[in-house]
């Protein structure tokens, strides 16, 4: 069983829809990361958070430390948001574990 | 102006060969990483280097060896390449190992 579980694995949405991707993890962490991998393969860090909520443009990330759960929300989704979104957790020793990713397709 | 760069972008080689992938960052970060992304797109950490010192080493075969000549570089040497080594390898860096990571563009390694 992976230490980091993401859902859903695949998600198709219509442009403009509100999107939620979920991530749960099994042990205490130092931080949780949301990454975006575009079809071209490049990886971009979207958020790193250890508590509460962060917002960047149309993207919002939340984390509940007690429940060991995080969500990534995309408001007013756009076809350019189509990508694989990866949840990852890091530990104090710089170790990092990744979820399997959520493939998002936003249709015009 | 690329923050984290990797060379080469593509590497095709025969089984049994020895190859290296180079990584450089110009962000002034002190921690660098190597990750492997397999054919199912699953990422796994291989190594982490902080101030030229190996911090963690996942269960990676000793055919893989990271070499850091200075804080800005972390190269990956692979000896006796095997078919299962075919993957995309990503380099990344961060400040103090507890901040956001910046990823390189990846190197697609194909072992024939």
């Amino acid at each position: 069983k992976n230490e980091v579980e993401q859902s859903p694995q695949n998600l198709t949405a219509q442009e403009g829809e509100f999107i939620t991707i979920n991530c749960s993890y099994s042990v205490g962490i130092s931080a949780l990361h949301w990454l975006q991998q575009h079809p071209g393969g490049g990886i971009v860090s979207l958020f790193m958070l250890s508590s509460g909520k962060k917002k960047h443009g149309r993207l919002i990330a939340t984390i509940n430390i007690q429940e060991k759960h995080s969500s990534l929300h995309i408001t007013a989704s756009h076809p350019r948001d189509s990508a694989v979104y990866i949840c990852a957790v890091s530990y104090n020793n710089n170790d990092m574990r990744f979820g399997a990713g959520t493939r998002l397709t936003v249709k015009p | 102006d690329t923050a984290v760069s990797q060379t080469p972008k593509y590497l095709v080689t025969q089984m049994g060969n020895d190859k290296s992938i180079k990584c450089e960052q110009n962000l002034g970060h002190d921690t660098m990483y190597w990750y492997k992304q397999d054919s199912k797109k699953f990422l796994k950490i291989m190594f982490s280097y902080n101030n030229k010192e190996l911090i963690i080493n996942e269960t990676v075969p000793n055919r893989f060896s990271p070499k850091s000549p200075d804080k800005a570089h972390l190269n990956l040497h692979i000896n006796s390449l095997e078919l299962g080594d075919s993957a995309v390898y990503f380099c990344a860096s961060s400040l103090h190992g507890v901040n956001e990571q910046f990823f390189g563009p990846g190197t697609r390694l194909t072992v024939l």
Side-chain angles (χ1 to χ4, degrees), chain A residues 2 30-31 33 35 37 40-46 48 86 91-100 103, chain B residues 9 31 33 35 37 40-45 48 50 55-56 58 90 96-101 103-105:
Chain A
N2 195 19
S30 64
H33 307 251
L35 310 173
Q37 186 167 29
I43 298 174
V44 174
S45 174
L46 298 175
M48 191 186 85
I86 302 168
Y91 303 99
N92 288 333
N93 63 352
N94 285 348
D95 194 5
M96 197 146 163
R97 304 287 165 151
F98 295 84
R103 183 173 298 277
Chain B
K9 192 169 171 62
T31 307
Y33 311 79
Y35 297 97
Q37 187 172 44
K40 295 183 179 176
K41 304 293 188 185
F42 194 70
L43 276 161
K44 287 189 75 171
I45 191 166
S48 168
N50 184 318
I55 298 176
I56 58 171
E58 269 294 290
F90 286 96
H96 305 321
V98 296
N99 294 304
E100 176 186 15
Q101 292 192 21
F103 287 79

Side-chain angles (χ1 to χ4, degrees), chain A residues 62-74:
Chain A
T62 64
I63 187 168
N64 184 318
I65 297 294
Q66 286 73 31
E67 294 184 5
K68 295 186 174 60
H69 180 268
S70 174
S71 293
L72 176 69
H73 305 287
I74 305 175

Side-chain angles (χ1 to χ4, degrees), chain B residues 11-31:
Chain B
L11 182 53
V12 181
T13 188
Q14 298 285 334
M15 237 176 14
N17 284 350
D18 303 337
K19 289 293 178 186
S20 295
I21 306 172
K22 294 186 176 181
C23 177
E24 177 180 3
Q25 54 93 6
N26 62 6
L27 297 167
H29 289 168
D30 58 0
T31 307

Side-chain angles (χ1 to χ4, degrees), chain A residues 11-28:
Chain A
L11 181 55
T12 300
Q14 287 298 129
E15 184 172 357
E17 284 184 3
F18 180 83
I19 286 160
T20 296
I21 300 170
N22 294 300
C23 176
S24 60
Y25 53 94
S26 53
V27 296

Side-chain angles (χ1 to χ4, degrees), chain B residues 2-102:
Chain B
T2 305
V4 183
S5 59
Q6 292 180 229
T7 53
K9 192 169 171 62
Y10 299 96
L11 182 53
V12 181
T13 188
Q14 298 285 334
M15 237 176 14
N17 284 350
D18 303 337
K19 289 293 178 186
S20 295
I21 306 172
K22 294 186 176 181
C23 177
E24 177 180 3
Q25 54 93 6
N26 62 6
L27 297 167
H29 289 168
D30 58 0
T31 307
M32 295 182 72
Y33 311 79
W34 275 107
Y35 297 97
K36 179 180 179 181
Q37 187 172 44
D38 62 24
S39 57
K40 295 183 179 176
K41 304 293 188 185
F42 194 70
L43 276 161
K44 287 189 75 171
I45 191 166
M46 299 178 72
F47 301 103
S48 168
Y49 250 71
N50 184 318
N51 289 327
K52 300 177 70 172
E53 190 175 343
L54 183 66
I55 298 176
I56 58 171
N57 180 346
E58 269 294 290
T59 52
V60 171
N62 58 15
R63 298 181 295 103
F64 290 80
S65 55
K67 297 277 195 308
S68 181
D70 54 59
K71 267 187 5 178
H73 297 83
L74 183 65
N75 304 323
L76 183 65
H77 297 272
I78 316 169
N79 295 325
S80 304
L81 278 155
E82 300 178 357
L83 293 176
D85 298 333
S86 294
V88 180
Y89 292 84
F90 286 96
C91 175
S93 72
S94 71
L95 190 60
H96 305 321
V98 296
N99 294 304
E100 176 186 15
Q101 292 192 21
F102 291 79

Side-chain angles (χ1 to χ4, degrees), chain A residues 3 31 38 61 85 94 104:
Chain A
E3 287 177 48
H38 272 285
Y85 292 83
N94 285 348
L104 171 65

